[in-house]
């Protein structure tokens, strides 16, 4: 299948987004270490000296640029193409951490990186073309079709059940509760982001969509979903090991996002069975590579208790909705005395 101009634009923006976001972790971590060395108080124990560190702010600006590029990418390319490419930011972060922060990348982690790259190439080659949209009202018709309304209703019902029934009972013992809420809401976030991004794109092209109530409705949905995700993903990251939360969240979020996009935007309509199967295979390869990469990072962390300490690279999920953008491990490496005192602490 030939590439459309919009698909090429979306892929380029998604790749730039992954590069900027992955690099932002390393820049911010360098800033955190420099601030901790200057003040003697690390961010992980309540220090805020990093707010005066220019390198940390450079990392924040880099991350914002990456997020903006990702937002615009959804306005040009299907979600089934853009969303899986987000895994590449983990690779950028892991590789840069290996060379700049001297956080050793395990051989299996390297294999995970290669799997993510290979899966992404397969997805890009077989991705569907973006459907031409001329008005936000067209998106509204897609969003109000019975099949997608059924999906939205199911997501909202499941989120309410998880929040009000399971969260008080087992939210702090079962990682699936908080990550499930984030993933379900995340799929609606991407759909509304794509709708809003397309509306703004049409507006900049001279077809003003801000005069329509639907544009502002999608903006409200984006804000609501993002706030919900921020809340519950922060809870998940604060309660469970990041190396556990990150792959689970990425798998669930990406799977649900692709499902929602296929239902709402009919991404797979007109595609052959072979192309759809290839996309699914590429997606599975990316997921497998992501899990493998995070698993080896967890292995490196566990190994640190027997000698050298290798901090975790920040995760894709952590950079999305973790307050100031720092994961719980995005700080200066703890001393050997601190490691000894934590040795008996369960995760």
């Amino acid at each position: 299948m030939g590439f459309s101009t919009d698909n090429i634009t979306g892929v380029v923006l998604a790749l730039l987004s992954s590069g900027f976001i992955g690099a932002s972790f390393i820049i911010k971590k360098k800033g955190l270490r420099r601030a901790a060395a200057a003040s003697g108080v690390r961010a992980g124990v309540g220090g805020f000296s990093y707010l005066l560190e220019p390198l940390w702010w450079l990392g924040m600006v880099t991350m914002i640029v990456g997020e903006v590029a990702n937002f615009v990418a959804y306005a040009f390319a299907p979600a089934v193409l853009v969303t899986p490419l987000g895994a590449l930011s983990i690779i950028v972060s892991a590789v840069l951490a290996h060379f700049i922060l001297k956080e050793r990348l395990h051989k299996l982690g390297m294999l995970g990186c290669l799997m993510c790259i290979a899966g992404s190439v397969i997805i890009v080659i077989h991705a569907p073309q973006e459907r031409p949209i001329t008005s936000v009202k067209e998106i509204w018709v897609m969003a109000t079709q019975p099949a997608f309304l059924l999906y939205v209703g199911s997501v909202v019902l499941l989120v309410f059940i998880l929040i009000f029934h399971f969260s008080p009972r087992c939210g702090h013992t079962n990682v699936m509760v908080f990550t499930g809420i984030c993933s379900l809401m995340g799929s609606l976030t991407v759909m509304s982001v794509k709708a809003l991004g397309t509306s703004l794109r049409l507006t900049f092209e001279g077809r003003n969509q801000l005069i329509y109530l639907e544009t502002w409705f999608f903006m409200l949905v984006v804000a609501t979903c993002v706030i919900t995700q921020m809340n519950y993903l922060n809870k998940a990251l604060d309660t469970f090991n990041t190396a556990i939360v990150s792959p689970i969240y990425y798998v669930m979020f990406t799977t649900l996002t692709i499902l929602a996009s296929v239902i709402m935007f009919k991404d797979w309509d007109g595609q052959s069975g072979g192309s759809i199967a290839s996309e699914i295979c590429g997606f599975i390869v990316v997921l497998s590579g992501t899990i493998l990469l995070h698993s080896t990072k967890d292995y490196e962390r566990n190994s640190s208790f027997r000698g050298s300490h290798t901090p975790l690279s920040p995760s894709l999920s952590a950079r999305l909705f973790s307050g100031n953008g720092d994961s719980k491990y995005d700080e200066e490496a703890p001393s050997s005395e601190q490691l000894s005192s934590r040795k008996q602490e369960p995760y």
Side-chain angles (χ1 to χ4, degrees), residues 31 35 45 77 139 186 194 216-217 325 333:
V45 293
I139 305 177
K194 183 170 179 59
W216 298 98
F217 175 80

Side-chain angles (χ1 to χ4, degrees), residues 253-300:
F253 164 72
T254 308
T255 301
L256 289 170
T257 297
I258 290 176
L259 176 61
S261 184
V262 168
I263 295 174
M264 179 174 172
F265 291 98
K266 311 294 184 189
D267 290 328
W268 285 346
D269 281 10
Q271 278 201 295
S272 65
S275 294
I276 295 174
S278 297
E279 289 174 50
I280 294 175
C281 289
F283 175 51
I284 293 174
V285 172
V286 171
L287 293 184
S288 302
T290 302
I291 294 172
L292 183 60
L293 180 58
H294 278 289
S295 297
T296 56
K297 280 297 178 182
D298 192 34
Y299 167 79
E300 290 295 334

Side-chain angles (χ1 to χ4, degrees), residues 3-222:
F3 294 124
S4 67
T5 302
D6 284 350
N7 269 23
I8 294 175
T9 303
V11 168
V12 171
L13 288 169
L15 293 176
L16 288 174
S17 171
S18 294
F20 276 107
I21 291 170
S24 73
F25 287 129
I26 309 306
I27 299 173
K28 287 169 62 184
K29 192 161 187 176
K30 292 283 284 185
L32 287 169
R33 289 182 174 182
R34 182 180 296 180
S39 67
V41 182
R42 292 164 42 227
V45 293
F48 293 96
S49 59
Y50 61 85
L51 294 175
L52 301 177
E53 175 55 54
L55 195 59
W56 185 86
W57 283 106
L58 176 61
M60 284 298 297
V61 171
T62 305
M63 178 173 286
I64 292 172
V65 172
E67 294 291 0
V68 170
N70 191 57
F71 176 87
V72 178
Y74 279 111
F76 287 92
V80 297
L81 172 59
V82 176
T83 304
L85 293 180
L88 298 179
S89 66
I90 305 176
I91 298 176
V92 173
S93 179
V95 171
L96 290 179
H98 178 81
F99 290 105
I100 297 177
L101 301 180
K102 307 305 179 184
E103 297 178 0
R104 190 168 65 89
L105 185 60
H106 195 271
K107 289 183 178 179
L108 288 178
M110 296 179 186
L111 176 60
C113 291
L114 291 176
M115 291 174 65
C116 289
I117 294 173
S120 298
V121 171
I122 294 172
I123 292 173
V124 170
I125 292 175
H126 297 279
Q129 304 295 340
E130 177 74 339
R131 292 181 58 184
I133 297 175
T134 59
S135 171
V136 69
K137 290 188 174 295
E138 291 183 31
I139 305 177
W140 182 255
V141 171
M142 299 177 190
T144 54
Q145 59 184 304
F148 188 70
L149 289 178
L150 178 61
Y151 176 82
V152 173
S154 301
V155 166
V156 173
L157 178 61
L158 286 173
V159 167
F160 271 91
I161 292 175
L162 289 172
I163 290 176
F164 295 106
H165 180 74
F166 288 102
S167 181
R169 291 169 173 78
C170 57
H172 290 83
T173 58
N174 191 328
V175 68
M176 299 299 292
V177 176
F178 292 150
T179 53
I181 295 171
C182 299
S183 302
L184 289 164
M185 294 301 292
S187 65
L188 298 184
T189 299
V190 172
M191 295 304 98
S192 52
V193 162
K194 183 170 179 59
L196 179 60
T198 303
S199 300
L200 294 177
R201 174 192 171 190
L202 292 172
T203 299
F204 290 135
E205 290 176 350
R207 290 171 284 183
N208 188 10
Q209 304 298 304
L210 299 179
I211 59 175
Y212 299 116
L213 185 62
E214 290 84 353
T215 300
W216 298 98
F217 175 80
F218 286 126
M219 192 177 299
L220 177 63
V221 173
V222 170

